[in-house]
Amino acid sequence: MKLDINEIMKLIPQRYPFLFVDRVEELVKGEKIIALKNVSINEQIFAGHFPGSPTLPGVIIIEALAQTSGILAMFSIPELTKGKPYLAGVNSFKFRHPIYPGDNIILESTLKKRIKNFINFYCRAIVKDKVVAEGELLTALVKVEE
């Protein structure tokens, strides 16, 4: 399954300038997702990170992977129709190469296990066929009362 930006915005609450998933290329319910983030010099973060040598911060890479994982969770967990996935933990993340404006990041997330209201994902960010970041994310499923 593929999703465009309009379909993505129906699933997760983030919006500009904090929406970091541009497109979903593949989604297998309950298993994995592959999404895309196009990095532009026009993003506000580059005004201060770092002037003269713009580099995407690691925390933004983690957030992009968390948003990607959230999309997978929304499709995989039926009870999320009245809730949201929230980032609850980051474990064993490694940053192997910097990401620059002009790069296209492939965001991969695989659902590893679910225990009650928590889901563990293994995530990777890939640029030009190189793994630039990888690690585990923990998501908490929070029901939203109406």
Side-chain angles (χ1 to χ4, degrees):
M1 170 185 306
K2 293 185 178 196
L3 302 173
D4 65 23
I5 192 66
N6 294 313
E7 294 165 311
I8 290 167
M9 289 192 300
K10 291 176 186 173
L11 294 170
I12 58 176
Q14 290 86 351
R15 296 294 181 266
Y16 175 84
F18 213 72
L19 177 58
F20 300 118
V21 180
D22 294 324
R23 186 172 66 232
V24 172
E25 291 293 314
E26 180 181 345
L27 191 151
V28 179
K29 184 178 176 179
E31 292 182 30
K32 70 176 183 174
I33 185 171
I34 299 172
L36 180 67
K37 162 71 177 143
N38 299 306
V39 182
S40 169
I41 190 63
N42 295 324
E43 294 183 48
Q44 293 178 348
I45 197 73
F46 293 126
H49 199 271
F50 297 102
S53 182
T55 306
L56 193 67
V59 69
I60 300 299
I61 299 165
I62 289 174
E63 177 63 24
L65 289 165
Q67 291 177 17
T68 301
S69 299
I71 295 166
L72 178 57
M74 293 297 289
F75 265 90
S76 302
I77 312 299
E79 56 267 36
L80 273 183
T81 56
K82 291 187 179 179
K84 295 179 186 177
Y86 282 83
L87 181 61
V90 178
N91 191 23
S92 302
F93 247 85
K94 304 285 185 212
F95 299 94
R96 304 193 184 287
H97 299 282
I99 297 175
Y100 303 108
D103 284 342
N104 298 310
I105 311 170
I106 297 171
L107 305 162
E108 295 182 351
S109 181
T110 303
L111 196 151
K112 299 306 285 181
K113 65 181 174 181
R114 178 181 180 196
I115 300 173
K116 296 186 180 181
N117 287 337
F118 295 93
I119 305 173
N120 185 262
F121 297 93
Y122 173 73
C123 302
R124 299 188 322 161
I126 300 166
V127 174
K128 299 175 188 167
D129 296 322
K130 285 185 181 179
V131 176
V132 296
E134 62 183 322
E136 293 182 5
L137 296 178
L138 182 65
T139 298
L141 307 177
V142 178
K143 289 187 180 178
V144 176
E145 302 297 325
E146 293 185 33

